[in-house]
Amino acid sequence: MMKHPILCLALLSAAPLFGGITREGDGAVMLDQETRMLSFQLLAKEKLDHFAADGFDAGKEKIMQEMQKNPARYIQRNVARAQMETIFRAEMEKQLQGELDALIQSTACKLNPQTQAALSAAQKATIDERMKLHFPTAFDDVRKTLAEKERKSQIFTAIYPSGKELETLDDAQLAQRLLERFNQSRRQPIMEENRPYLQNEVISPVIAAARKQQKIQHEALDQLRIPQTLWGTDEIKRFIQTELRSATVRDCPEAQANFIEFPSISKKIDQKAKSIVSERLGDALELDAKRYRALLEKEPQRHVTPAMSLERAREVMLPDALQAAKKTIHAPATLTVDHHDPVIRQKFDRAATAKFKSLRDDYAQAQIRRVWPDFDEWLPRLEETELFVRQGEKTLPAVADRPKSDEVLFSETEVKIEAAMQKKFAAESRRLKAQLQAVDDFYRHVTDECRKIKQQHSDNDQSFWQWLFGITPDALTLEKVIEVYEEKVVQASSKPLFPAAKHEIDIRSRAILQLLQKPASKKEVTLQDEEKQVKAFTLVIGGTSDTDGTLQLGSWQAEMSDKQASANAVAAEVKRQIEGQNVSVILAIEVTNAELTYRRVAELREALQELLPDAMVQDSYRK
C-alpha cells in the first residue's frame, strides 16, 4: 500500500495547521476542531490508499466512449494513446477530488494552506501511481475491443479482385489495389491494429483463392472434352461455361459466392466453341496422293516451290476433302463448312506438307534425269575447280557443261542439283590439293637428295639422277624433268593434272635444273668475252615470311614488295654501280629465309633476267 509522507507529516502536526491562534476560553471549540481534523486525516489517508486499487472502470469507460465517438481521430495507435492518457488521468483526478471534497464536507474541516498543499501532493502521488498501474492495460483492452468490433462490422467480400486485375497485376500489386478499394468503401480508414489482420487474414487469402480459381479454370478448360453430339457454337459455349463453373466450385468452394470470370478464359471459351467443329473436320481430312501427283504433272509451273504447291493443292483439293470429312464424322447435313477457316487450313497444310513431300522429291529426281541425263557422270572442268578453290570453296562457279532446258525446275530440283554439284566440286578440290601436295613432296625429295650429295662432296655422283631421270644430269632437259615430274605426281595423286599443278611443276622443274647447273666462273666469262671484266654481285634475300623481307646488294638495301618492283629496284642499283664500265655481270641470289617458297625466288630471278638480259642470274636456293 502506498505511503503518503506529506499527509502523514500533517497528521503529526495537525494542531498548527487549522484555524488561527487559540484564545482563552475557547478550549471546547478547539478540541472539537482538532477532533474533526484528526478524523478527516485518517479518513483521507484511507481514501487515498484504497482509491482505484483494483482498477479504474470509469476511466476505461470514458476512453471507450471518446474513441467510439471520434474513431477517425484515433486511427493511429500512438496518437490515440497520447490523448487517451490525458482523458484517463482527468477522469481519475475528477473522481478522487470528488471523494475528498465529500469527505471534507462530511467532517466539516477547514483546511489551512499548508494542509491543502500536503493533500494536493498526496493526491498527485496517488494519481501517478494508479495511472502507471491501470492505464496501459485499460488502453490495450479498449483498443482490442474496438478492433474486434470493427472487424466484425466489415463485409470483406466486397474487395474481391476482378479477372482482369488477376491477369494484369502481380500479387503485391493486387494487395495494394484491394487495400485501396477497401479504404474507399469506408467513410474512414480502419484502425492501425486491424491492418495486419486485413492483409494476412483477408487480402492474402482472397488473392490465394482467386489464383486458385485461375489455375483450376485454365486446367479444366485444357482437359475438357466436348461431346460429339454438340455441333452448334452457342450450345458448345454454354456447355463449356457450365462445366468450367462446376469444376471451379468443386475444387474451390469460395467460387460459389465469388466466381471470377477471366478475360483470357472467356476468350479461350469463345475460340474453343468456334474451333471445335473445324478441328473435328480437319482431323478427318483424307488427302488423295494420286490427285496431287496429277496436279504436278498437269501444271508444274504452279508447283515450283512447296509454298506455291501447297496453296494450289488447298485451292483444288480442300473443298472436296471437307465434304468427305463431314460424312466421315457424321456431321449434320445442315452444317456449313468454310474451307477458308484458319483451323481447317492449318490442319490441311500440315497433313499435305507431310504427305506430299516424298512425291515432290520423286518429281525432282525425275526432273534431274530429264534436264541433265548424264549428271551422275558429270565432273566440273579443271579450271572451274581451281576457281571454286580460289573463291573459298563456298560459291559454285558458273558451269559450262550444264545443259540448257526450257522446263521449269522445282525448287527441290535446284537444291538437289546444287548439293550434288557442291559434293563433286569438293571432291575435285581435294584432288587438286592432293596434286599440289604431291608436287611439293617430289620437289622436297629431289632437293633433299641434292643437299646430301653436296654435303658429301659428291658432285660427280650421278647415280641418283640416273635412277630418277634415266639419264645423267648433263644430258637433262627441261622437258625431261617436267615429264618425269608429272609422272610422279600422277602416281601419287590422280590424273588429269590441273593447270595449277602443271604450272607448279614447270616452275619447280626449272629450279631442279638450276640445282644441277654449275655457276659460271669469272674465268669462263672472261673466255667468252676477253674485252670485258667480270663483276659479281650477291643479292641476299632475307625476311620472316613469304611476303615480307629485305633485299641486300652490298651496302644497298630495299624492302621487298611485289616481284616486279623488287626486280626493278635491284636492276636499277646494278646498272648504277656498273654505269660507264665495260663489264660482264654475275648476279647470284642467296636466300637466308628458309620459309620463302621457291616460286618467289624463281619469279624474282626471271624478272631480273628480263631486265638484265646480258647478266648471268643464278640462285643458291635450298629448301
Side-chain angles (χ1 to χ4, degrees):
M1 186 65 66
M2 176 184 174
K3 302 300 181 181
H4 302 285
I6 298 177
L7 185 59
C8 291
L9 179 62
L11 292 173
L12 292 175
S13 55
L17 297 178
F18 290 89
I21 299 174
T22 304
R23 294 189 300 274
E24 187 177 353
D26 293 335
V29 174
M30 185 175 180
L31 179 62
D32 181 58
Q33 288 179 347
E34 289 178 352
T35 300
R36 285 197 298 274
M37 175 57 68
L38 180 60
S39 176
F40 168 76
Q41 289 175 336
L42 292 174
L43 290 174
K45 180 178 180 302
E46 183 179 1
K47 180 70 68 176
L48 292 173
D49 287 344
H50 290 87
F51 178 75
D54 298 327
F56 190 61
D57 292 340
K60 185 175 180 180
E61 187 174 322
K62 185 70 174 179
I63 63 176
M64 171 76 79
Q65 292 174 355
E66 179 61 26
M67 281 193 281
Q68 283 181 318
K69 182 172 64 176
N70 298 297
R73 185 185 301 174
Y74 305 117
I75 295 300
Q76 301 297 329
R77 179 180 175 85
N78 58 344
V79 173
R81 182 183 178 91
Q83 296 188 33
M84 292 306 104
E85 186 172 13
T86 300
I87 294 174
F88 195 89
R89 174 181 284 277
E91 186 67 20
M92 187 173 279
E93 289 173 346
K94 175 184 175 182
Q95 184 165 324
L96 179 58
Q97 186 64 52
E99 293 181 9
L100 290 175
D101 288 346
L103 183 61
I104 293 173
Q105 185 177 0
S106 65
T107 57
C109 285
K110 295 181 179 180
L111 305 183
N112 62 22
Q114 290 178 318
T115 303
Q116 184 64 55
L119 182 60
S120 296
Q123 283 181 261
K124 182 179 183 304
T126 299
I127 295 297
D128 288 344
E129 181 201 11
R130 297 300 190 264
M131 281 293 295
K132 292 179 182 179
L133 184 63
H134 300 309
F135 176 73
T137 302
F139 180 77
D140 288 344
D141 288 347
V142 170
R143 293 291 292 186
K144 182 178 179 181
T145 300
L146 292 177
E148 290 177 352
K149 182 178 180 182
E150 185 180 63
R151 288 198 296 271
K152 292 178 181 178
S153 67
Q154 306 306 314
I155 303 176
F156 291 109
T157 54
I159 63 169
Y160 239 81
S162 68
K164 182 178 180 180
E165 290 172 331
L166 285 159
E167 290 183 339
T168 57
L169 303 177
D170 60 28
D171 286 1
Q173 293 170 325
L174 271 177
Q176 183 62 33
R177 177 71 59 84
L178 296 183
L179 178 61
E180 293 171 357
R181 184 173 301 157
F182 179 80
N183 288 333
Q184 290 170 1
S185 68
R186 296 170 44 84
R187 288 177 298 177
Q188 62 198 30
I190 61 172
M191 294 174 64
E192 183 179 350
E193 288 87 342
N194 275 336
R195 290 177 186 173
Y197 172 84
L198 178 63
Q199 179 63 48
N200 300 327
E201 302 299 326
V202 179
I203 292 178
S204 293
V206 163
I207 293 175
R211 292 291 186 208
K212 185 177 180 181
Q213 281 198 52
Q214 191 176 23
K215 183 173 182 292
I216 291 171
Q217 290 187 35
H218 277 287
E219 291 178 350
L221 186 57
D222 291 339
Q223 298 170 5
L224 189 61
R225 295 294 177 264
I226 311 300
Q228 294 288 338
T229 55
L230 300 180
W231 291 96
T233 300
D234 291 340
E235 62 178 343
I236 292 174
K237 183 176 179 179
R238 286 193 296 271
F239 172 81
I240 296 174
Q241 290 171 334
T242 300
E243 291 296 311
L244 207 59
R245 180 178 285 272
S246 298
T248 306
V249 172
R250 180 181 63 249
D251 296 336
C252 183
E254 297 92 334
Q256 183 69 49
N258 296 287
F259 181 82
I260 301 175
E261 294 185 0
F262 296 91
S264 63
I265 295 291
S266 299
K267 185 177 180 180
K268 287 175 69 174
I269 290 174
D270 290 340
Q271 292 173 342
K272 195 175 186 70
K274 292 176 182 178
S275 66
I276 187 66
V277 175
S278 300
E279 289 178 359
R280 291 174 186 171
L281 289 168
D283 291 337
L285 290 174
E286 292 290 339
L287 306 185
D288 189 346
K290 291 183 178 180
R291 189 175 182 188
Y292 179 72
R293 189 183 298 110
L295 287 175
L296 297 184
E297 295 172 353
K298 180 181 179 182
E299 46 183 23
Q301 71 280 1
R302 304 192 67 170
H303 299 269
V304 173
T305 66
M308 290 173 57
S309 184
L310 183 61
E311 184 176 358
R312 179 59 176 162
R314 191 193 309 122
E315 178 185 353
V316 175
M317 300 175 63
L318 182 54
D320 294 340
L322 273 176
Q323 293 303 319
K326 281 181 61 176
K327 296 178 181 179
T328 301
I329 62 176
H330 307 292
T334 56
L335 180 66
T336 57
V337 179
D338 180 8
H339 63 273
H340 295 293
D341 183 284
V343 174
I344 293 176
R345 286 165 61 95
Q346 185 182 51
K347 295 275 187 181
F348 176 87
D349 291 356
R350 190 177 300 158
T353 299
K355 188 166 186 176
F356 297 156
K357 183 180 183 305
S358 61
L359 295 178
R360 290 185 59 82
D361 286 342
D362 292 344
Y363 192 91
Q365 291 290 357
Q367 270 195 323
I368 295 175
R369 290 191 294 270
R370 288 195 301 272
V371 302
W372 201 339
D374 60 345
F375 180 67
D376 291 341
E377 293 75 31
W378 169 85
L379 287 175
R381 294 185 180 186
L382 302 179
E383 298 81 1
E384 293 170 350
T385 299
E386 290 185 357
L387 178 59
F388 174 71
V389 172
R390 287 197 300 271
Q391 292 176 342
E393 302 185 44
K394 294 181 179 179
T395 304
L396 292 177
V399 174
D401 297 332
R402 181 167 180 173
K404 304 295 182 181
S405 175
D406 294 333
E407 182 173 349
V408 178
L409 299 184
F410 279 15
S411 61
E412 291 93 332
T413 306
E414 296 281 9
V415 169
K416 290 178 184 297
I417 290 176
E418 184 170 333
M421 289 174 65
Q422 188 79 30
K423 288 183 179 179
K424 293 188 178 192
F425 268 102
E428 286 296 283
S429 172
R430 291 191 294 272
R431 197 171 71 83
L432 170 59
K433 293 174 182 177
Q435 283 189 3
L436 294 176
Q437 184 63 49
V439 170
D440 191 58
D441 291 344
F442 181 76
Y443 182 76
R444 288 176 182 276
H445 174 61
V446 172
T447 53
D448 286 347
E449 286 297 325
C450 184
R451 185 175 63 255
K452 292 177 184 177
I453 292 171
K454 296 291 184 182
Q455 289 173 350
Q456 296 168 3
H457 306 288
S458 304
D459 290 346
N460 297 324
D461 185 357
Q462 301 177 352
S463 60
F464 172 73
W465 308 106
Q466 186 76 35
W467 167 79
L468 184 61
F469 295 108
I471 54 178
T472 63
D474 293 339
L476 273 178
T477 63
L478 179 61
E479 291 74 14
K480 183 60 177 178
V481 175
I482 291 175
E483 177 188 345
V484 174
Y485 208 149
E486 288 184 349
E487 289 177 357
K488 295 294 184 183
V489 171
V490 168
Q491 290 173 6
S493 55
S494 62
K495 63 178 182 180
L497 290 174
F498 285 90
K502 285 188 174 185
H503 182 63
E504 285 292 323
I505 289 173
D506 180 75
I507 290 178
R508 300 197 186 211
S509 294
R510 296 174 188 273
I512 291 172
L513 276 179
Q514 183 72 28
L515 290 173
L516 300 177
Q517 292 175 354
K518 293 182 179 180
S521 65
K522 292 182 181 180
K523 182 177 181 180
E524 290 172 336
V525 174
T526 304
L527 290 175
Q528 295 171 8
D529 190 347
E530 294 182 357
E531 295 182 0
K532 292 184 178 181
Q533 294 182 346
V534 175
K535 190 171 183 62
F537 295 88
T538 301
L539 177 63
V540 180
I541 303 179
T544 58
S545 72
D546 199 11
T547 56
D548 299 325
T550 59
L551 300 173
Q552 184 171 355
L553 194 68
S555 61
W556 172 87
Q557 286 189 345
E559 293 295 322
M560 287 183 69
S561 56
D562 63 86
K563 62 181 180 181
Q564 195 60 44
S566 300
N568 286 334
V570 174
E573 179 61 23
V574 170
K575 286 183 178 182
R576 187 187 68 77
Q577 293 193 29
I578 65 172
E579 188 173 5
Q581 303 179 37
N582 186 21
V583 296
S584 294
V585 176
I586 297 177
L587 183 58
I589 301 175
E590 180 181 330
V591 182
T592 63
N593 178 6
E595 297 180 0
L596 200 65
T597 64
Y598 185 74
R599 170 188 291 278
R600 189 82 163 102
V601 179
E603 289 175 345
L604 181 59
R605 186 187 68 240
E606 292 173 0
L608 287 170
Q609 193 71 70
E610 290 180 10
L611 295 171
L612 301 168
D614 296 331
M616 178 180 288
V617 183
Q618 59 189 34
D619 68 72
S620 59
Y621 179 81
R622 301 291 182 269
K623 185 111 177 203

